[in-house]
Amino acid sequence: MIHTQVRYEYGGDEFVFVQLSEEMSLESNFKGMAITRELKERNLPGIVDICPSNASYMVRIDPEVLHPDELIQVLQEIEQQVAGLDQITISSRLVDVPVLFEDPWTHEAVMRFRDRHQDPGSTDLEYSARVNGYESKEAFIDAITSSPFLVSMIGFVPGLPWCFQMVAREKQIEVPKYVRPRTFTPERTFGFGGAFAVIYPVQGAGGYQMYGIAPAPIYQKEQTLPDFQDSIVFPKQGDIFRYRSVTRDEYDEIRRQVEDGTFVYRKKDFSFTPKEVLEDPDSFSEMVLRRLYHD
Amino acid sequence: MIKVIKPGLQTTVQDQGRVGMYEIGMPPSGAMDKFSFTVANLLAGNQPNAAVLEITYMGPALQFEKAMKISLTGGNIPPKINGQAVPMWETLQVQEGDTLTFDFVQSGARTYLAVEGGIDVPVVMNSRSTYTLIGIGGYQGRALAEGDVLAVGEMKQKDVPVGTKIDPALIPIYEKTHEIRVVVGLCSYRLTEESLSTFLESEWTVTPEANRIGYRHKGERLKFVDREQPFGAGSNPSNVTDLGYPIGSIQVPDGVEPIVLLHDAVTGGGYATIATVISTDLNRMAQIKTNEKVRFRAVSLSEALEARQQLKQQLQQIADNMAM
């Protein structure tokens, strides 16, 4: 078990912030998911917003209805209750997420912001492969696409999924963020920063390394695609994403489907327990891919 | 109907905000100065969450296509109707064809215009507030532009007599130096003790990057406690494992230029946040301009809650006085 020191903090008079651990781990993420879910179920008056994050969470309250200290007491009690993580089942979806690696659009952005990068002589992909000890960028892409990721947090802007790979700790990829953030990132860029893969929902600033672009949106304001009927954002915390490398032809085909409103993510409903993942991430990952593509 | 002759620098439709959607990464948006927003609606006789126009630095020119009551509160961007100066913080009457314009800003940064019935734009996820980054809410998801025509809604609650004023003692005064109260915490353990003192004791200058997303402040560089970065956080000492950002929280990327995150800010990310502006002082933050000076003063949670109570009582007093 990773040693965790839980830190309860006031975010002014309207927020309580709880850091479950300083480092990212699947345990902390599952624990945060369990606590925030239980809190939601209790439906306490005075709670305005519950925001689960990677290894932390925050709660917004009306402090006249629920005093921050009262909330902290409740949270400590829930934390004790979920300490074992044994009884939790996470309802999730397995999703195939196509990505075109080394595409022309992010490549243009990569080259434009070389002066803000640790290694102006390499591309983001070459640099990341090297600092993670991979012989080639192809081997690095293979490591990203061969095991699925847990959607551990949604935020930054609407719909951005932070994704944490479900592999043993020694296999987890970690990359620095840009030295200075960029002012431009193409919409649907597939990026990596710290231990997290993301897709940028909209064009904008960004500091993550850029590896490719997703043909399908994860955010759609117009809600014309079937996957966006209930919400303008697609990802949900607890989803499991498999990033699949596609060719330019498949990319163009998916773009066409997105534009004519017929694109649907390949996905399956799925439930799992944190224990299954934590005990043997490799076999969990294999099972997930079988379920998604074959069963 | 209200016709936009000139849009001003940035005029947006705002209400109390799109609350309760952090989970999908949606910031609340909404009026930056909730005190002025609330008083504007009281003076116009509106329900508390009626949408108003938030006017920044430089006012628009608007033409009213029917007679109605209006009110103007917040920063002093002196208003004129058909070229004649009119008072702020008072219920006014405009006639069909009247034009509202503004002089140069004198104090504060944001003025609120409430019209009887509220500005009517479609409700998007529980709110009429504009969030320009992704283009939702407000008038077509953007700031007003020349030629836009705004509809007036049906959120009138009661008739407020023209000429109704609020107690002058309750009208905020906007200076050029500001004391903003914060609750220290969140990831403040990451700052060295010396830097935390520097943060609280020095005077900061607001940079031109000061808008609805956040305010950036120039001053001394702050230092973080040396450590081996925890897994997942990223390599800069100001990085932490990506987490949620409360509204009003303050981060210091790379130790330079503290940023106070405001109503249209990103909802999360990987920078250590060191303190949070208390809710009442977010209203005052909204009235600060580029190049003005800010000091951050640490207060306890109970002081923050007390300030909140006081503000609530003031608003109650204003409402009670108008009921008489």
Side-chain angles (χ1 to χ4, degrees):
Chain A
M1 276 299 279
I2 290 165
H3 177 71
T4 58
Q5 192 204 354
V6 180
R7 190 188 287 279
Y8 290 85
E9 299 274 346
Y10 305 127
D13 47 322
E14 290 191 357
F15 290 84
V16 167
F17 169 76
V18 185
Q19 189 178 61
L20 296 166
S21 64
E22 286 192 31
E23 65 174 17
M24 178 56 185
S25 68
L26 287 166
E27 278 103 325
S28 300
N29 189 254
F30 289 140
K31 196 169 175 184
M33 240 187 261
I35 295 170
T36 50
R37 201 172 57 173
E38 171 63 24
L39 181 67
K40 209 175 281 179
E41 272 167 23
R42 293 198 183 186
N43 223 347
L44 299 177
I47 291 189
V48 176
D49 216 336
I50 299 172
C51 176
S53 312
N54 287 317
S56 59
Y57 61 91
M58 65 180 189
V59 183
R60 187 176 191 181
I61 46 175
D62 177 345
E64 273 119 43
V65 181
L66 180 63
H67 191 283
D69 290 337
E70 274 175 68
L71 172 66
I72 290 173
Q73 267 183 12
V74 173
L75 295 175
Q76 280 169 334
E77 181 204 314
I78 297 177
E79 192 199 319
Q80 291 299 317
Q81 192 184 318
V82 303
L85 284 176
D86 295 335
Q87 298 89 17
I88 310 157
T89 305
I90 297 170
S91 307
S92 151
R93 299 174 301 178
L94 307 179
V95 188
D96 171 78
V97 183
V99 174
L100 175 63
F101 284 88
E102 298 193 281
D103 63 290
W105 304 280
T106 56
H107 184 73
E108 195 274 329
V110 163
M111 298 322 282
R112 208 169 115 197
F113 293 100
R114 280 298 82 192
D115 61 326
R116 295 171 186 238
H117 197 268
Q118 291 82 356
D119 182 1
S122 309
T123 64
D124 291 7
L125 203 52
E126 288 162 352
Y127 166 75
S128 303
R130 196 174 64 242
V131 299
N132 279 279
Y134 288 91
E135 285 169 16
S136 63
K137 55 189 186 191
E138 288 75 18
F140 183 66
I141 293 172
D142 194 54
I144 292 172
T145 53
S146 57
S147 299
F149 288 74
L150 176 73
V151 175
S152 53
M153 171 178 176
I154 312 286
F156 187 63
V157 296
L160 180 137
W162 267 276
C163 302
F164 188 64
Q165 203 167 24
M166 301 170 101
V167 291
R169 171 65 178 270
E170 63 274 13
K171 288 196 203 161
Q172 267 157 353
I173 294 163
E174 195 182 17
V175 296
K177 297 160 193 167
Y178 269 47
V179 179
R180 283 183 300 128
R182 296 177 301 273
T183 52
F184 171 77
T185 309
E187 180 185 312
R188 292 176 279 102
T189 289
F190 174 72
F192 218 114
F196 302 99
V198 300
I199 294 176
Y200 286 86
V202 289
Q203 178 185 313
Y208 282 22
Q209 308 283 335
M210 296 183 286
Y211 302 156
I213 197 162
I218 49 156
Y219 151 83
Q220 202 205 20
K221 167 172 77 168
E222 299 78 14
Q223 296 185 283
T224 57
L225 291 172
D227 286 321
F228 296 85
Q229 290 308 301
D230 299 332
S231 171
I232 61 167
V233 311
F234 176 72
K236 296 190 178 100
Q237 192 195 35
D239 281 351
I240 297 174
F241 281 8
R242 190 269 170 128
Y243 289 109
R244 181 169 58 86
S245 175
V246 299
T247 61
R248 178 64 194 264
D249 282 350
E250 191 180 347
Y251 176 91
D252 290 339
E253 170 58 21
I254 296 171
R255 285 306 301 156
R256 199 187 52 73
Q257 291 174 10
V258 169
E259 264 140 47
D260 68 19
T262 58
F263 175 81
V264 181
Y265 277 106
R266 177 182 191 131
K267 58 189 175 304
K268 282 208 172 123
D269 286 333
F270 180 71
S271 297
F272 66 97
T273 64
K275 208 172 147 201
E276 288 174 80
V277 186
L278 298 172
E279 273 181 358
D280 189 350
D282 286 346
S283 26
F284 182 81
S285 150
E286 275 170 39
M287 183 264 287
V288 158
L289 296 180
R290 256 195 332 269
R291 280 291 296 275
L292 178 56
Y293 298 108
H294 301 298
D295 288 0
Chain B
M1 302 282 241
I2 300 163
K3 199 172 167 196
V4 180
I5 313 289
K6 272 193 272 176
L9 185 66
Q10 194 196 31
T11 304
T12 57
V13 178
Q14 301 292 345
D15 61 11
Q16 286 172 349
R18 198 165 277 111
V19 175
M21 301 203 166
Y22 271 102
E23 204 179 359
I24 65 162
M26 182 74 76
S29 301
M32 295 261 284
D33 176 354
K34 296 279 193 310
F35 177 83
S36 300
F37 162 82
T38 305
V39 176
N41 270 330
L42 282 171
L43 287 167
N46 287 338
Q47 292 169 33
N49 200 26
V52 306
L53 292 185
E54 181 180 272
I55 292 158
T56 312
Y57 292 154
M58 200 174 91
L62 303 169
Q63 188 172 43
F64 297 90
E65 297 186 337
K66 67 168 197 173
M68 66 183 86
K69 285 175 196 164
I70 66 166
S71 69
L72 292 145
T73 62
N76 186 15
I77 309 178
K80 294 185 289 189
I81 293 175
N82 302 330
Q84 294 294 310
V86 291
M88 294 183 61
W89 306 93
E90 184 173 326
T91 306
L92 306 172
Q93 174 75 48
V94 293
Q95 304 300 336
E96 184 183 336
D98 279 358
T99 304
L100 174 69
T101 55
F102 294 85
D103 269 347
F104 291 114
V105 57
Q106 286 192 347
S107 64
R110 289 179 172 80
T111 299
Y112 292 85
L113 166 66
V115 301
E116 196 177 3
I119 303 289
D120 190 24
V121 292
V123 174
V124 179
M125 297 183 197
N126 311 324
S127 170
R128 292 185 169 84
S129 290
T130 318
Y131 174 41
T132 53
L133 183 75
I134 62 166
I136 67 160
Y139 188 88
Q140 299 179 3
R142 58 169 171 77
L144 298 186
E146 189 181 320
D148 289 348
V149 177
L150 300 166
V152 173
E154 289 169 358
M155 290 181 77
K156 181 176 160 180
Q157 197 169 37
K158 58 182 227 175
D159 257 313
V160 178
V162 173
T164 302
K165 297 174 189 165
I166 74 163
D167 179 352
L170 294 175
I171 297 176
I173 294 162
Y174 308 115
E175 311 275 3
K176 290 189 174 5
T177 59
H178 308 265
E179 186 182 85
I180 295 293
R181 291 167 291 182
V182 300
V183 174
V184 172
L186 301 169
C187 306
S188 57
Y189 66 92
R190 289 293 303 121
L191 279 183
T192 64
E193 261 179 56
E194 203 190 345
S195 279
L196 185 57
S197 309
T198 304
F199 172 68
L200 294 168
E201 284 158 17
S202 58
E203 191 174 63
W204 298 91
T205 305
V206 175
T207 73
E209 254 181 276
N211 51 37
R212 293 186 45 87
I213 295 171
Y215 273 47
R216 223 176 238 267
H217 300 78
K218 223 183 272 179
E220 265 185 74
R221 189 185 187 105
L222 303 181
K223 292 197 182 72
F224 294 91
V225 178
D226 278 333
R227 67 167 173 180
E228 190 184 324
Q229 284 292 91
F231 179 75
S235 46
N236 191 285
S238 64
N239 288 153
V240 290
T241 296
D242 299 62
L243 38 70
Y245 294 149
I247 292 300
S249 64
I250 304 173
Q251 54 179 235
V252 200
D254 199 30
V256 293
E257 298 195 356
I259 307 170
V260 179
L261 295 177
L262 296 170
H263 302 74
D264 287 354
V266 294
T267 64
Y271 288 113
T273 39
I274 59 172
T276 310
V277 174
I278 68 172
S279 61
T280 50
D281 286 11
L282 287 174
N283 300 329
R284 294 161 55 183
M285 199 87 217
Q287 299 295 353
I288 300 177
K289 287 193 288 291
T290 295
N291 286 325
E292 293 183 351
K293 308 288 182 195
V294 173
R295 275 177 193 278
F296 297 105
R297 184 161 75 82
V299 294
S300 66
L301 175 65
S302 48
E303 286 172 272
L305 291 173
E306 206 173 298
R308 191 184 170 93
Q309 275 304 325
Q310 274 173 13
L311 189 77
K312 218 178 161 183
Q313 281 163 14
Q314 281 176 10
L315 285 168
Q316 192 56 52
Q317 199 183 329
I318 292 169
D320 290 350
N321 287 346
M322 282 172 39
M324 290 185 340

